[in-house]
Amino acid sequence: MRSLAARLALAFSLLVLPLGALFVWGALDAARRYHQEIAQNQYRGLAANLLHKSPNLMVGDERAGALDALAAELAMTNPGVEVYLLDAEGRIVGASPPMDALVRKRVDLRPLERFVRGEGRGPLLGDDPKRLGGRQVFSAAPVPGGGWIYVLLSDQALDSVAEAVAGSTVLRLAFWAGLGLVLLAALVAAGTAWGLTRRLTALEAAMERFDPAAEAGPPDPPAGERDEIDRLHARFAELAARVRALLASEREADRHRRELVAGVSHDLRTPLAVLSGYLETLEHERDRLGEDEQTRYLAAARAQAERLGRMIDDLFALARLESGAWPFRPEPLALAELVQDVALEWKPRFGAAGVELELPPPPGPVEVRADAGLVERALVNLLANALAHTPAGGRVRVEVGEEPGRAWVAVADSGPGIAPEDLPRLFERAYNKRAGGSGLGLAIAQQAARLHGGRIEVESFPGRGSRFVLHLPTEAAQAR
């Protein structure tokens, strides 16, 4: 029985059937006690009436004859009634049944005393002298001078409830109605189990059909979370959506990796081919080349080698940043001083390209906690990007500022700007390639900013230039 619905139905049935049996037993026991109580109330004064009618029951010479007369008279009205005469200690001194048929010679007087006082609720049971351990409803009365008259109301029609059920149409109907209710409860239990597991079965089928690579997702969960099953369905839908999103992201990342490998392979091939060409020319044409030409060829080969080195360095730097393998060592850093040092180092390059580099004084000391080498690399990449996109006669402005919780460095150029459709992919690897570069500079700068808990934002005004802003949390903000 592997089905959860079948197991639940069986569990409910096993719970309902004993409860039904307990209910039937309780009903029959209540009926028995009810009959006993009616009989005892009906014959409550029987013993006192017998004593009043035969006051000489306890007289030794007349005892046997009086008991025989009473027995003969009671046999005509109720053959199950038995009369016993007890002394003050409860010993049986006379009985309507034969004395040799009695298995008890003494009767407990405490129920008799409670009967006379009218104590107790429900039927009072007394000892049955003819059955060891047997108890019956009774009527009792004290005999003046000591002793008791004890009458057992052992009506055979009341002894067996099963016989009463067999002989009563109403009780038979009640019995079959109870049995029908038990069966109905079992059917309800089976239906409830099926209803509880139906949605679980549907969810199981949805999970089996779920294919992360398929276009269609799992079935939507029911509107509103009514119970735990609906919440489980909703959590599965959320998990499936996250799995699809992760797979889509992985596919996109894989596409970017393939594009990067293809682009880097192409870019590496170009300087390698140029470098190889210059070296082959020097090797085969050395005797026919003048000293100036050899020097020029060597300088060109060295430039291509440096370009190749920068590209490889950028590629490995980005890979280490994205994989978390970069040795990140944050420390207190004066950001304004670092920006000024980097700008002064690059000022000759800007001057050689005919681009003016502006560096207004910062508003004050700007303190951050950062990896100095990583921040410097991000600043260098932003300056290199600005220089590459600014024509001769243009200018690049570098500013440093601080706001509550963050410091920022802005690099604004007067170049042609960036097309709006290119802005979303500006920081993707190898998307911003241009002659002489690896196309990884902005991606490295963005990863460096994110590693510090910051970011790089860009504003562009086509035809008027672009503005890149590096945001870093201040030392106080990082401490918080």
Side-chain angles (χ1 to χ4, degrees):
M1 188 178 295
R2 301 178 61 184
S3 170
L4 178 60
R7 290 199 295 268
L8 285 175
L10 178 61
F12 286 147
S13 299
L14 293 178
L15 178 64
V16 168
L17 291 177
L19 291 177
L22 184 63
F23 169 76
V24 172
W25 176 84
L28 294 177
D29 184 68
R32 180 177 60 84
R33 289 178 178 273
Y34 175 69
H35 285 301
Q36 289 177 337
E37 186 175 4
I38 289 178
Q40 192 167 51
N41 290 335
Q42 183 178 359
Y43 295 104
R44 174 172 288 276
L46 178 59
N49 292 337
L50 292 177
L51 184 61
H52 178 73
K53 186 175 182 180
S54 303
N56 296 323
L57 278 174
M58 295 299 291
V59 179
D61 296 337
E62 301 181 8
R63 181 183 304 158
L67 281 175
D68 291 341
L70 283 175
E73 183 179 351
L74 289 174
M76 293 185 294
T77 58
N78 195 336
V81 174
E82 301 172 355
V83 182
Y84 296 90
L85 297 178
L86 310 177
D87 64 10
E89 301 298 328
R91 288 185 293 270
I92 300 174
V93 296
S96 59
M99 291 294 288
D100 56 1
L102 305 182
V103 297
R104 289 183 177 181
K105 304 303 181 181
R106 187 171 183 167
V107 174
D108 187 3
L109 295 179
R110 286 176 296 181
L112 281 65
E113 295 170 350
R114 293 179 60 195
F115 177 82
V116 172
R117 292 195 300 267
E119 297 177 356
R121 301 180 61 182
L124 285 172
L125 303 180
D127 293 338
D128 185 354
K130 294 199 311 182
R131 290 185 300 168
L132 193 63
R135 297 175 68 79
Q136 292 283 358
V137 291
F138 64 89
S139 176
V143 178
W148 292 81
I149 181 170
Y150 179 52
V151 181
L152 279 185
L153 308 174
S154 54
D155 190 343
Q156 298 302 316
L158 301 178
D159 271 350
S160 175
V161 178
E163 293 178 4
V165 171
S168 172
T169 303
V170 174
L171 290 178
R172 282 200 306 270
L173 289 176
F175 174 78
W176 287 112
L179 182 60
L181 287 175
V182 171
L183 294 177
L184 178 61
L187 291 176
V188 170
T192 303
W194 179 83
L196 288 175
T197 57
R198 178 176 55 86
R199 288 179 293 157
L200 283 177
T201 304
L203 178 59
E204 178 191 14
M207 295 176 71
E208 289 180 352
R209 293 194 305 269
F210 174 61
D211 181 8
E215 293 293 332
D220 293 332
E225 296 183 359
R226 295 172 294 176
D227 54 22
E228 290 81 357
I229 298 178
D230 290 337
R231 288 195 288 272
L232 180 62
H233 200 154
R235 299 298 88 78
F236 168 64
E238 294 174 0
L239 177 61
R242 286 199 295 268
V243 169
R244 290 183 181 280
L246 288 174
L247 288 176
S249 176
E250 182 62 26
R251 286 194 293 267
E252 185 68 13
D254 185 63
R255 183 181 66 81
H256 285 316
R257 280 193 294 269
R258 290 195 300 269
E259 291 179 356
L260 176 62
V261 170
V264 170
S265 299
H266 178 270
D267 290 342
L268 291 177
R269 194 180 300 115
T270 300
L272 279 175
V274 175
L275 177 61
S276 178
Y278 280 119
L279 293 178
E280 287 181 2
T281 301
L282 287 172
E283 180 182 7
H284 297 294
E285 304 291 337
R286 180 184 307 172
D287 296 337
R288 290 185 297 175
L289 294 175
E291 185 176 348
D292 292 340
E293 288 182 319
Q294 292 184 20
T295 302
R296 182 166 56 84
Y297 280 24
L298 286 174
R302 183 173 61 252
Q304 293 299 323
E306 291 176 354
R307 176 188 173 191
L308 186 62
R310 287 195 302 270
M311 294 173 64
I312 295 174
D313 180 62
D314 285 346
L315 182 62
F316 276 98
L318 183 59
R320 295 174 70 190
L321 284 171
E322 290 183 341
S323 65
W326 186 276
F328 185 61
R329 299 185 183 90
E331 58 185 355
L333 176 65
L335 184 61
E337 295 181 6
L338 177 64
V339 171
Q340 187 174 15
D341 292 343
V342 173
L344 291 177
E345 181 181 351
W346 274 70
K347 197 173 184 65
R349 303 186 189 184
F350 278 82
V355 178
E356 180 183 0
L357 180 61
E358 299 179 357
L359 183 63
V366 180
E367 298 291 335
V368 297
R369 184 174 182 81
D371 186 315
L374 200 54
V375 174
E376 180 179 358
R377 183 162 194 144
L379 293 174
V380 166
N381 289 350
L382 291 179
L383 287 174
N385 179 73
L387 179 60
H389 287 78
T390 304
R395 68 178 184 278
V396 174
R397 183 179 179 88
V398 181
E399 297 178 283
V400 183
E402 185 177 11
E403 297 175 1
R406 64 189 180 115
W408 53 269
V409 180
V411 179
D413 62 67
S414 60
I418 305 169
E421 61 272 15
D422 292 336
L423 287 176
R425 299 190 59 189
L426 194 61
F427 294 99
E428 292 181 9
R429 293 173 293 187
Y431 183 75
N432 194 36
K433 290 196 300 286
R434 59 194 303 107
S438 64
L440 302 177
L442 290 180
I444 292 174
Q446 185 70 284
Q447 287 293 335
R450 289 174 178 170
L451 192 60
H452 287 87
R455 66 188 184 281
I456 295 178
E457 295 178 346
V458 57
E459 298 175 301
S460 181
F461 312 96
R464 293 182 294 162
S466 304
R467 185 172 185 265
F468 290 79
V469 184
L470 168 64
H471 295 276
L472 296 173
T474 61
E475 189 171 6
Q478 287 185 337
R480 287 195 299 272

